C-alpha cells in the first residue's frame, strides 16, 4: 500500500491503495531498464559488516548481470571491485570466503586485497604487444560505504555521495540500533519472475 497526501490531511492519515503492474516483475524490458538506470547508478546494500569482520574476508554481491567483490582489505578498510578479470572479463570469485590474495582461475592473474595486480602469468609473453604495466591491470574499483552495520556499494563513480543518498534515514532509524543486530537466518525462493 502506498501513501498519498490529499488536501490538509496529515501525511500519515491518508493511504490510497495502488496496484503495481505485474510486468514490473516479469518483463525482460523492465528488468533491462532497471539494470541500466537503477542498479548500475544507485547505492545498493551488499552485505552486513559482520560478514567481513576478519582480514581477507570476501563477499560476492550479485545484482542482475553485475557481480561485485567486497573485501576486508585492511583492519579498518573495506574495498569493493568489479568481480571481473581485466584480462578477459572472466568472473574471479564465487560465493563468500576468506583469501590472502584474489586469484583469477582462468589465466592465473593475481591481485592483493587492495586490488593491485601482483602477478601476470607468463608476463614476458606480453612484451611483443608493448608489455603490461601492472598499474593498468588492477581490479576495477567500486565505491563502498558503511552505515548501521550494513555495507553498501555503488558502481557509478559519479553518483551522489553515500551520506546524501542515505539522508535522512539515519536520524529516523537510530532508535532501532541496527548496528547491533545480526542475521538470524536467510531464505532463498525461486520464482518465475525477472531479476526479482
Amino acid at each position: 500500500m502506498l501513501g498519498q497526501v490529499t488536501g490538509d490531511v496529515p501525511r500519515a492519515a491518508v493511504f490510497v491503495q495502488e496496484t503495481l503492474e505485474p510486468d514490473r516483475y516479469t518483463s525482460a524490458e523492465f528488468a533491462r531498464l532497471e539494470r541500466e538506470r537503477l542498479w548500475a547508478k544507485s547505492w545498493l546494500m551488499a552485505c552486513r559488516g559482520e560478514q567481513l569482520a576478519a582480514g581477507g574476508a570476501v563477499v560476492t554481491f550479485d545484482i542482475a548481470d553485475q557481480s561485485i567483490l567486497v573485501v576486508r582489505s585492511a583492519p579498518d578498510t573495506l574495498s569493493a571491485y568489479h568481480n571481473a578479470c581485466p584480462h578477459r572479463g572472466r568472473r574471479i570469485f564465487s560465493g563468500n570466503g576468506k583469501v590472502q590474495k584474489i586469484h583469477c582461475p582462468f589465466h592465473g592473474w593475481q591481485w592483493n586485497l587492495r586490488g593491485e595486480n601482483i602477478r601476470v602469468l607468463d608476463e614476458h609473453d606480453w612484451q611483443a604487444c608493448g608489455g603490461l604495466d601492472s598499474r593498468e591491470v588492477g581490479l576495477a574499483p567500486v565505491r563502498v560505504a558503511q552505515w548501521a552495520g550494513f555495507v553498501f556499494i555503488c558502481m557509478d563513480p559519479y553518483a551522489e555521495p553515500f551520506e546524501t543518498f542515505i539522508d535522512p534515514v539515519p536520524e529516523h532509524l537510530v532508535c532501532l540500533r541496527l548496528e547491533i543486530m545480526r542475521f538470524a537466518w536467510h531464505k532463498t525462493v525461486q520464482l518465475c519472475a525477472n531479476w526479482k
Side-chain angles (χ1 to χ4, degrees):
M1 189 180 294
L2 301 173
Q4 195 172 58
V5 177
T6 58
D8 293 331
V9 180
R11 178 180 276 288
V14 176
F15 289 94
V16 176
Q17 185 169 351
E18 296 180 19
T19 303
L20 295 176
E21 296 298 321
D23 65 342
R24 292 186 185 198
Y25 299 93
T26 58
S27 163
E29 176 61 12
F30 201 88
R32 183 191 67 76
L33 290 170
E34 288 176 324
R35 281 193 311 273
E36 176 186 310
R37 299 180 185 177
L38 183 62
W39 309 128
K41 305 206 177 283
S42 300
W43 284 96
L44 307 170
M45 186 186 72
C47 63
R48 288 282 300 175
E50 64 265 17
Q51 294 176 270
L52 297 164
V58 180
V59 170
T60 303
F61 172 71
D62 296 321
I63 181 79
D65 60 349
Q66 296 296 308
S67 184
I68 307 298
L69 293 178
V70 187
V71 181
R72 172 67 62 187
S73 53
D76 60 348
T77 306
L78 293 180
S79 300
Y81 312 102
H82 286 278
N83 189 11
C85 179
H87 177 208
R88 292 284 179 106
R90 181 134 177 143
R91 183 178 283 233
I92 299 171
F93 198 85
S94 294
N96 303 334
K98 187 172 182 202
V99 298
Q100 293 181 348
K101 57 189 168 198
I102 301 167
H103 179 93
C104 176
F106 194 57
H107 284 118
W109 288 25
Q110 294 176 355
W111 301 266
N112 62 26
L113 300 180
R114 294 181 307 279
E116 300 163 335
N117 183 275
I118 55 174
R119 180 174 188 245
V120 172
L121 188 65
D122 299 325
E123 187 171 354
H124 58 276
D125 290 345
W126 293 86
Q127 295 312 312
C129 302
L132 285 177
D133 183 340
S134 62
R135 294 170 297 184
E136 296 175 354
V137 290
L139 295 177
V142 172
R143 295 164 68 192
V144 64
Q146 296 180 75
W147 170 75
F150 294 99
V151 178
F152 292 79
I153 61 93
C154 183
M155 294 176 265
D156 184 352
Y158 305 107
E160 65 187 334
F162 178 75
E163 295 73 21
T164 304
F165 164 80
I166 199 71
D167 189 54
V169 171
E171 70 182 82
H172 295 292
L173 297 186
V174 68
C175 61
L176 297 178
R177 300 176 63 200
L178 295 171
E179 65 280 356
I180 66 169
M181 294 186 182
R182 299 293 180 262
F183 281 123
W185 55 276
H186 183 265
K187 182 175 183 175
T188 301
V189 178
Q190 290 190 4
L191 303 171
C192 183
N194 57 27
W195 71 269
K196 298 175 191 76

